[in-house]
Amino acid sequence: MTTPVYQNFINGHFLKNQSGETFAVKNPATDEVIYHVEVADAFVQNAAIESAKQGFATWSAMTPIERSRILLKAVELLRARNDELAKIEVLDTGKPWQEAECVDVQTGADVIEYFAGLAPAQVGQQQMVGEDFYYTRKEPLGICAGIGAWNYPLQIACWKSGPALAAGNALIFKPSEETPLGAIKLAEIFFEAGVPAGVFNVVQGAAEVGQWLTQSDDIEKVSFTGEVGTGKKVVASAAGSLKDVTMELGGKSPLLVFDDADISQAVSAAMLGNFYTQGEICTNCTRIYVHKNVYKQFIDELKTRTEQNIIAGDPMNPEVNLGALISKNHHELVMGYIDKGISEGATLLTGGEALKPDSAPNGYFVAPTVFTDCTDDMTIVKEEIFGPVMSVLVFDDEDDAIRRANDTHLGLAAGVFTKDIKRAHRVIHQLQAGICWINSYGNSPAEMPVGGYKQSGIGRENGIETLDHYTQTKSIYVGMTDIESPF
Ligand code: NDP
């Protein structure tokens, strides 16, 4: 059976490359090639820049309310095509349908809707300076680049294009080579909604295509989602042309469970924050610090619920709540971390093996895994694993727990479970992380800014402030008095 071949989406249509180079995309749940994609060669790259220049000229000349209207139409189309798009995400990523059906498209559409609403409300300032005055304009940056990770492909494309386009920019987006289709569908939807040709182009390929975007002198900003190591390369490369950068990178986030917490709720948070999307979520609370008085109760309930309530298998089955990891390589990486946890002395409470569910025997599944008796120096406690692997640690002193939680170069997210309202705020204010939850974990509405402290990122996505990251301020001084010149 021949599989489809997708081309790059440039200037409102599919553009054939000249090199003929393609790459294959596999369904992680079946290990089968499902389609091929053409790589963006030099011809496609040049076309992307030229059309983005044209697109930017048209789009930035429109009023914010005109742009808003078009973006809201795209939101309507995204929601109407929810199931078609969610299915693409399931086949590309291996995540369960029961998640994609209600999260991936919806949360992407929410963010575009949010920024479409904000765009017409963005205003400059005006201030008198004696009889003269100045005013400021919020102007778009020009052509921006977005580079996405593979865990939430469509959502990431929406989270970058929403504010970029609302502010009047053009965006060239490169999805991960593992999950390239969602961004193409978004491009079709934008175009159908009335976004002018060239305003949202999709280029395909691996690191080389990403590098080209970070180096191009025609691109003013790069918004990147991916690993810390890649993020450092992107920042270094973007420095060559002094591009503005937004970096959404990895994490190794702590969740602190105090002895007055609702333990069932805390277990729910820990399971969501380690097993949802089979653990491939950047904000995951992979270090769970539990107060010694409730440690046994916590791990007993965690073990029971993990062993009883998780169903791995064909991700398109709506009953399934644990999907396949993104690739064979990633599967090996995660299994390698599990081996390290065992060899470094952690106790395997549950899981720890690769799974071969009857409905998807060739998929890259890993059993939901919990390690107890963990210590802060273990590799599984220090490094981001990006799979369903949780480390549980014990504490008995609040200050010590905070110190240990902060003892990492990462700072993406953190959480605390306690019924003591003063302690909740006191603790969370001391945790060095950009996204924090009290008696909750993982919710990320469009209204809430998200981003990392320390090496987990630069800048923010979502929330009002993000629109500022896609504009530049022009100050205009207006002379109402004669110039006093010494010449
Ligand atoms: P990678 O860093 O491997 O890749 C991210 C993107 O960068 C991909 O599109 C990749 O292309 C591209 N890329 C690779 N090398 C370069 C380069 N030198 N220059 C420019 N672009 C490049 O991340 P993953 O895709 O593996 O995603 C997982 C990571 O993403 C985890 O660390 C996770 O924590 C993080 N993440 C962070 C989020 C946040 O909001 N903070 C959200 C989601 C994930 P290709 O893959 O095609 O090779």
Side-chain angles (χ1 to χ4, degrees), residues 35 130 188 232 254 276 305 323 484:
Y35 58 91
E188 287 180 317
K232 288 178 185 173
Y276 204 70
R305 287 172 60 183
E484 283 179 27

Side-chain angles (χ1 to χ4, degrees), residues 147-151 156 174-178 205-211 214 224-228 230-231 233-234 247-251 281-282 384 386 412 456 461:
I147 301 177
W150 42 254
N151 60 339
I156 291 172
K174 188 199 93 63
S176 164
E177 215 186 1
E178 318 266 13
E208 310 77 63
V209 178
Q211 279 161 6
T214 61
F224 173 84
T225 299
E227 289 174 11
V228 174
T230 321
K233 288 185 201 159
V234 168
M247 293 284 129
E248 294 289 339
L249 309 176
I281 297 188
C282 52
E384 185 184 44
F386 225 55
L412 189 59
S456 285
E461 289 194 318

Side-chain angles (χ1 to χ4, degrees), residues 305-439:
R305 287 172 60 183
T306 301
E307 288 174 358
Q308 287 180 358
N309 299 344
I310 292 193
I311 307 167
D314 173 4
M316 281 307 291
N317 177 345
E319 300 292 311
V320 163
N321 56 19
L322 188 87
L325 296 186
I326 187 71
S327 64
K328 204 171 190 159
N329 278 348
H330 191 57
H331 186 266
E332 278 166 19
L333 200 84
V334 172
M335 290 307 298
Y337 273 112
I338 291 174
D339 291 344
K340 265 220 164 87
I342 295 167
S343 67
E344 290 181 7
T347 303
L348 195 55
L349 180 74
T350 185
E353 74 272 337
L355 293 178
K356 286 198 172 300
D358 290 343
S359 57
N362 299 321
Y364 318 128
F365 292 86
V366 170
T369 298
V370 180
F371 280 109
T372 54
D373 300 321
C374 297
T375 53
D376 295 318
D377 57 347
M378 289 177 176
T379 308
I380 52 166
V381 177
K382 291 169 89 151
E383 295 182 12
E384 185 184 44
I385 300 174
F386 225 55
V389 183
M390 183 193 312
S391 298
V392 187
L393 305 100
V394 195
F395 77 91
D396 61 4
D397 174 80
E398 179 181 307
D399 289 339
D400 194 44
I402 294 168
R403 184 193 57 73
R404 291 167 65 196
N406 286 336
D407 187 18
T408 162
H409 64 281
L410 301 172
L412 189 59
V416 54
F417 269 77
T418 175
K419 289 189 187 129
D420 178 341
I421 190 168
K422 287 186 183 159
R423 172 156 61 197
H425 294 286
R426 181 175 68 231
V427 170
I428 217 88
H429 292 177
Q430 293 177 77
L431 291 175
Q432 296 161 354
I435 314 167
C436 293
W437 289 279
I438 293 173
N439 296 332

Side-chain angles (χ1 to χ4, degrees), residues 42-119:
F43 169 73
V44 171
Q45 293 173 7
N46 287 336
I49 294 288
E50 287 315 309
S51 81
K53 283 181 185 167
Q54 297 293 323
F56 174 69
T58 312
W59 186 239
S60 59
M62 292 167 77
T63 66
I65 217 151
E66 285 170 326
R67 291 199 293 263
S68 176
R69 221 172 275 140
I70 292 170
L71 292 175
L72 289 174
K73 176 74 187 159
V75 169
E76 205 181 300
L77 293 172
L78 276 166
R79 295 222 165 96
R81 292 183 199 163
N82 182 75
D83 288 6
E84 175 202 337
L85 297 166
K87 186 171 175 197
I88 288 170
E89 296 302 83
V90 174
L91 298 182
D92 273 8
T93 64
K95 68 173 64 183
W97 165 260
Q98 65 164 243
E99 293 182 14
E101 189 260 341
C102 61
V103 173
D104 293 58
V105 189
Q106 310 274 351
T107 53
D110 283 353
V111 166
I112 298 176
E113 186 169 27
Y114 175 75
F115 286 107
L118 279 181

